[in-house]
Structure formats: C-alpha cells, structure tokens
Amino acid sequence: MHEIAHETARGTAHGTARGTAHGNAREKSPEQRHETTGHAPWADRAWAAVLERTGQTAAEVGPRFPLYADPESGTWKTTSRGSWTGGFWAGLLWLRALTSGAPQDRAAASECTRRLAHWTDQDTATRGLIFWYGTALAAGPGGDGLAAGLRESAARSCLAAYDPERELVPWGAAFGGPRMLARVDAVPGLVPLLAGLGTAGERAAYGHLTRHLTLSRSESPPRPAWQAGPDDGWTPCAEPAPGWSRTTPWLLLGLADGLHCLTDGLTSRAAGALWEAADRLTAPRLAPAAPLVSPAQEDQPSGPLDTSAAAIESVALLKLAALARATDRGDEADRLTARARQILHRLCTRHLSARGALTDGCYDAARGLAPRHELIWGDFFLAAGLALLTGRMEPFTA
C-alpha cells in the first residue's frame, strides 16, 4: 500500500472534518434538537420507543445476547457468546446509558462489553463489528477502561492477522469455511478499529478498505464475497449472492469511517479516490426511483425486505453528509441527509412496532432464517441513525 503519507497533513479540509465530527452521545433539550436538526416529532417518538424496547430486551435476555426476535411475539433467539452480533447489543446498551445517565444502565453496558472478551483472539474479521460497535460508545463521559482494553487487544490481534500481500484482514475460520475470503461485512468497524493503532494500523486499515473497494468495482451490483485465488487473483463466491441487501450499506459505512479516520494520513490523490468510491456507491441510492427499504435479495423483489440494511445505510449516509458538509460539499451533504431522513421516517412509520421493535429485517434469505424479524443490529443502527438525526449523538462517536 503506497497511498498513506509518511507524515500526516494536519489542518487540511479533511482534517478539519475529522476534528469537528468527534463527539459523545449526550441528551439535548427538544428545543436544541429541533433548532439544530429540524427533525419532526416522529423521530423523538421512535427514539423513546426504541429505548423502551432496549429495556424490555435486557430484562428478557439477561446474561445472554439477543440475535433476532419473532415479529409477532417479540421473543428473542439468543446466544451465549454473542456470535458476530454481540457488539451491537453492547453498543445499544451503551447508547442507552450515555443518553440516560443512569448508573444502572452504565453498569449493564459495561458488563455486556466484558462478556465480549472471548472474541479478542478468535480468527474472524467480524471482530471489527464486535469490538468497534461494542466499545466505541464506552469512550463517552467517564470512559470505561475495560472496554478500551478490549478494543486495543482486539485491534492488535486483527493487525497481526493482516495479510500485506492480499492487503486485507482475512475473513477467518472462526465460523467455518475458507479462511482467505474478502467479505463486505468485514469492512465496517474493522477500519476504525485498526486505524486506532497508529501508522501501522492506518496502513492496514487503508489496505483493507481499498482491497474491498477494488473488488466492489468488479461487478455491478457489487459482489459481497470473494475467495483468494492463485497469483493474487480473486474468485467470486456464490454466498452471499450478488444483490445482497447489506453489501452497499456495509461498504458505505466502512468508507465513511475510512474518510474520517484515515484522511489526515492520505495523499490528496488517495483521499480523492475514496470520495470517488463514495460517489459511485451512493449514486444509485440517490436516484429518484431508489427504494428506501430494499428486498433482502435484489433479484427477488417480491421476497422479504431487509430493514436492517436500510438502517445501516441511514447511518452511513449521515456520516458521509457530515464529512461532505465539513469539506465544502454542501449540496451533496443535503442530498445525503435527505435520503437518510427519508429512510428513517419510512422505518419508523411503517416498520417500527408498537413495542419499539424494528421488524421486517432479514437475517438470511437464502436459508429462510429469520426472514421478517427484528434483528439486533437493525435495532442498533436504527437507534444510531435516530441519535444522529436528532442531535443526540455526534457523527463518528461510533
């Protein structure tokens, strides 16, 4: 990888964006939020419902991790160690704790994070999802030493797994199957996790991100997974299938974090290339006919929807909008924000149940697994999107 500058260029427009976008989750008065964001009351109502649902979920699952819930009964399927989704539950608990300020909420979030420790040395690139989203919000007021330690330990393990020849952290063998895969769900979380380790981590984060972006240009729509082949080649994987709903949202989320945490060390050419990739991936989403909530599989329009993909997209777009606004791309920022707002409104008015559950998420359409369910990462990203839209959380807090 050659596009990371040896000396950082502090004080650039992108650097300014990085500095001003930082912040912690916090509660503002309704007057402050309406003044700064101009959001409608539906967002406040949805926010309250989601937090109430978080409390209900915590009471139901106890020391286990929620995975997906039945859309009718609301009963959760749980796991003992959290699988690849455990960080989203911890992140949701941290978001609740930082906005409520209640000591018992903070204790619950900290305890949940502690139970992620098993994954620090597991061979999986989903450690980015687990440890970024499970610990980033713990850096809020007062900090959490345990979360910070787990995050650094996981980041160093991921850096040790980085393959400089393939320029990525392999998907890994923790969940079975081939180890040397490039999967788009290995991008978000892992980029900022690695970038927090200084120059070596930034180089690995940049290589990992750009490897996935390069592969995403190979087919349209982007293929979610590739297996390493001979002579530095890559072979397309059949699963997840092309047209998978979360492919572009995961890429956009990783891109937004990369533009935020890597720009100070990039050459102007490399930073420009990342913005070009963002423009390429967002263009179809900003088209007038683009659906706000896509099918779980693009080629199955009558099949189940995937609200979790839409929630992820809303967060990615709001992050990109913050960066665009800070770098004199105001018109683009307005378009991205408008799209995110429309997505969140659709989710909250058509897919949010009376108990505050984001339904119509699809875990795995190919296997028919939880095709119209509440998904824990869908809940997390809906909460994060609402927190960003209403000014309760600053971009890049998580």
Short mmCIF file of all heavy atoms in Angstrom, two decimals, residues 116-140:
data_model
loop_
_atom_site.label_atom_id
_atom_site.label_comp_id
_atom_site.label_asym_id
_atom_site.label_seq_id
_atom_site.Cartn_x
_atom_site.Cartn_y
_atom_site.Cartn_z
N LEU A 116 -17.74 -9.83 25.93
CA LEU A 116 -17.25 -9.96 24.56
C LEU A 116 -15.79 -10.43 24.51
O LEU A 116 -15.27 -10.72 23.43
CB LEU A 116 -17.34 -8.62 23.82
CG LEU A 116 -18.73 -8.04 23.62
CD1 LEU A 116 -18.62 -6.63 23.01
CD2 LEU A 116 -19.58 -8.93 22.73
N ALA A 117 -15.14 -10.52 25.67
CA ALA A 117 -13.70 -10.79 25.72
C ALA A 117 -13.31 -12.07 24.99
O ALA A 117 -12.20 -12.18 24.45
CB ALA A 117 -13.23 -10.85 27.18
N HIS A 118 -14.20 -13.05 24.96
CA HIS A 118 -13.92 -14.32 24.28
C HIS A 118 -13.47 -14.11 22.84
O HIS A 118 -12.67 -14.90 22.31
CB HIS A 118 -15.19 -15.18 24.31
CG HIS A 118 -15.21 -16.29 23.29
ND1 HIS A 118 -14.51 -17.47 23.46
CD2 HIS A 118 -15.84 -16.39 22.08
CE1 HIS A 118 -14.71 -18.25 22.40
NE2 HIS A 118 -15.52 -17.62 21.56
N TRP A 119 -13.95 -13.05 22.18
CA TRP A 119 -13.73 -12.89 20.75
C TRP A 119 -12.41 -12.19 20.40
O TRP A 119 -12.06 -12.10 19.21
CB TRP A 119 -14.90 -12.09 20.14
CG TRP A 119 -16.17 -12.87 20.18
CD1 TRP A 119 -17.18 -12.75 21.08
CD2 TRP A 119 -16.55 -13.92 19.29
NE1 TRP A 119 -18.18 -13.66 20.82
CE2 TRP A 119 -17.81 -14.39 19.71
CE3 TRP A 119 -15.95 -14.51 18.17
CZ2 TRP A 119 -18.48 -15.41 19.06
CZ3 TRP A 119 -16.62 -15.52 17.52
CH2 TRP A 119 -17.86 -15.98 17.95
N THR A 120 -11.66 -11.71 21.37
CA THR A 120 -10.48 -10.91 21.04
C THR A 120 -9.48 -11.67 20.18
O THR A 120 -8.86 -11.10 19.27
CB THR A 120 -9.77 -10.40 22.30
OG1 THR A 120 -9.48 -11.51 23.16
CG2 THR A 120 -10.62 -9.37 23.03
N ASP A 121 -9.31 -12.96 20.43
CA ASP A 121 -8.31 -13.75 19.69
C ASP A 121 -8.93 -14.76 18.74
O ASP A 121 -8.22 -15.63 18.22
CB ASP A 121 -7.39 -14.48 20.68
CG ASP A 121 -6.55 -13.52 21.50
OD1 ASP A 121 -6.08 -12.52 20.93
OD2 ASP A 121 -6.39 -13.75 22.71
N GLN A 122 -10.22 -14.64 18.48
CA GLN A 122 -10.86 -15.54 17.52
C GLN A 122 -10.51 -15.11 16.10
O GLN A 122 -10.42 -13.92 15.80
CB GLN A 122 -12.37 -15.55 17.72
CG GLN A 122 -12.81 -16.05 19.09
CD GLN A 122 -12.34 -17.47 19.38
OE1 GLN A 122 -12.61 -18.40 18.62
NE2 GLN A 122 -11.62 -17.64 20.48
N ASP A 123 -10.34 -16.08 15.22
CA ASP A 123 -9.90 -15.80 13.85
C ASP A 123 -11.10 -15.41 13.00
O ASP A 123 -11.65 -16.21 12.25
CB ASP A 123 -9.22 -17.06 13.27
CG ASP A 123 -8.70 -16.82 11.86
OD1 ASP A 123 -8.39 -15.66 11.52
OD2 ASP A 123 -8.59 -17.81 11.09
N THR A 124 -11.51 -14.16 13.14
CA THR A 124 -12.61 -13.64 12.34
C THR A 124 -12.49 -12.13 12.16
O THR A 124 -12.22 -11.40 13.14
CB THR A 124 -13.98 -13.97 12.97
OG1 THR A 124 -15.00 -13.26 12.27
CG2 THR A 124 -14.04 -13.58 14.44
N ALA A 125 -12.69 -11.68 10.94
CA ALA A 125 -12.67 -10.25 10.67
C ALA A 125 -13.89 -9.55 11.22
O ALA A 125 -13.93 -8.31 11.26
CB ALA A 125 -12.56 -10.00 9.16
N THR A 126 -14.89 -10.31 11.66
CA THR A 126 -16.05 -9.67 12.28
C THR A 126 -15.71 -9.12 13.67
O THR A 126 -16.57 -8.51 14.31
CB THR A 126 -17.24 -10.64 12.41
OG1 THR A 126 -16.91 -11.73 13.26
CG2 THR A 126 -17.66 -11.16 11.04
N ARG A 127 -14.47 -9.27 14.09
CA ARG A 127 -14.05 -8.60 15.32
C ARG A 127 -14.19 -7.09 15.16
O ARG A 127 -14.31 -6.36 16.15
CB ARG A 127 -12.61 -8.98 15.68
CG ARG A 127 -12.50 -10.35 16.31
CD ARG A 127 -11.07 -10.75 16.59
NE ARG A 127 -10.34 -11.02 15.35
CZ ARG A 127 -9.09 -11.47 15.32
NH1 ARG A 127 -8.43 -11.67 16.46
NH2 ARG A 127 -8.49 -11.72 14.17
N GLY A 128 -14.17 -6.61 13.92
CA GLY A 128 -14.42 -5.19 13.71
C GLY A 128 -15.82 -4.81 14.15
O GLY A 128 -16.03 -3.82 14.86
N LEU A 129 -16.81 -5.61 13.75
CA LEU A 129 -18.18 -5.36 14.17
C LEU A 129 -18.34 -5.53 15.68
O LEU A 129 -19.01 -4.74 16.34
CB LEU A 129 -19.13 -6.34 13.45
CG LEU A 129 -19.18 -6.27 11.92
CD1 LEU A 129 -20.10 -7.36 11.38
CD2 LEU A 129 -19.64 -4.90 11.45
N ILE A 130 -17.72 -6.57 16.21
CA ILE A 130 -17.89 -6.88 17.62
C ILE A 130 -17.27 -5.81 18.51
O ILE A 130 -17.91 -5.29 19.44
CB ILE A 130 -17.28 -8.26 17.94
CG1 ILE A 130 -18.02 -9.36 17.19
CG2 ILE A 130 -17.30 -8.53 19.45
CD1 ILE A 130 -17.31 -10.71 17.19
N PHE A 131 -16.01 -5.45 18.21
CA PHE A 131 -15.28 -4.61 19.16
C PHE A 131 -15.33 -3.12 18.86
O PHE A 131 -15.09 -2.32 19.77
CB PHE A 131 -13.84 -5.10 19.30
CG PHE A 131 -13.75 -6.38 20.06
CD1 PHE A 131 -13.57 -7.59 19.40
CD2 PHE A 131 -13.90 -6.39 21.43
CE1 PHE A 131 -13.52 -8.78 20.10
CE2 PHE A 131 -13.86 -7.59 22.14
CZ PHE A 131 -13.67 -8.79 21.47
N TRP A 132 -15.62 -2.73 17.62
CA TRP A 132 -15.81 -1.30 17.41
C TRP A 132 -17.16 -0.87 17.96
O TRP A 132 -17.26 0.00 18.82
CB TRP A 132 -15.66 -0.94 15.94
CG TRP A 132 -15.88 0.55 15.74
CD1 TRP A 132 -16.95 1.16 15.18
CD2 TRP A 132 -15.00 1.58 16.17
NE1 TRP A 132 -16.80 2.53 15.23
CE2 TRP A 132 -15.62 2.82 15.84
CE3 TRP A 132 -13.76 1.61 16.82
CZ2 TRP A 132 -15.03 4.04 16.11
CZ3 TRP A 132 -13.17 2.83 17.09
CH2 TRP A 132 -13.80 4.03 16.74
N TYR A 133 -18.22 -1.51 17.50
CA TYR A 133 -19.55 -1.10 17.93
C TYR A 133 -19.83 -1.47 19.37
O TYR A 133 -20.67 -0.84 20.02
CB TYR A 133 -20.60 -1.67 16.98
CG TYR A 133 -20.45 -1.10 15.60
CD1 TYR A 133 -19.85 -1.83 14.59
CD2 TYR A 133 -20.80 0.22 15.34
CE1 TYR A 133 -19.65 -1.28 13.33
CE2 TYR A 133 -20.60 0.78 14.09
CZ TYR A 133 -20.03 0.03 13.08
OH TYR A 133 -19.81 0.59 11.86
N GLY A 134 -19.12 -2.45 19.89
CA GLY A 134 -19.31 -2.84 21.28
C GLY A 134 -18.55 -2.01 22.28
O GLY A 134 -18.82 -2.09 23.48
N THR A 135 -17.58 -1.20 21.80
CA THR A 135 -16.76 -0.43 22.75
C THR A 135 -16.66 1.05 22.44
O THR A 135 -16.33 1.83 23.33
CB THR A 135 -15.30 -0.98 22.78
OG1 THR A 135 -14.67 -0.73 21.52
CG2 THR A 135 -15.27 -2.47 23.08
N ALA A 136 -16.92 1.48 21.21
CA ALA A 136 -16.69 2.88 20.84
C ALA A 136 -17.48 3.85 21.70
O ALA A 136 -16.97 4.89 22.12
CB ALA A 136 -17.01 3.09 19.36
N LEU A 137 -18.74 3.54 21.96
CA LEU A 137 -19.57 4.44 22.77
C LEU A 137 -19.14 4.45 24.23
O LEU A 137 -19.49 5.37 24.97
CB LEU A 137 -21.03 4.03 22.65
CG LEU A 137 -21.69 4.43 21.33
CD1 LEU A 137 -22.96 3.63 21.09
CD2 LEU A 137 -21.99 5.92 21.31
N ALA A 138 -18.38 3.44 24.64
CA ALA A 138 -17.90 3.41 26.01
C ALA A 138 -16.81 4.44 26.25
O ALA A 138 -16.40 4.67 27.39
CB ALA A 138 -17.35 2.02 26.35
N ALA A 139 -16.35 5.10 25.18
CA ALA A 139 -15.36 6.15 25.33
C ALA A 139 -16.00 7.48 25.70
O ALA A 139 -15.34 8.50 25.72
CB ALA A 139 -14.58 6.31 24.03
N GLY A 140 -17.30 7.47 26.00
CA GLY A 140 -18.02 8.68 26.35
C GLY A 140 -17.61 9.22 27.70
O GLY A 140 -16.56 8.84 28.26
#
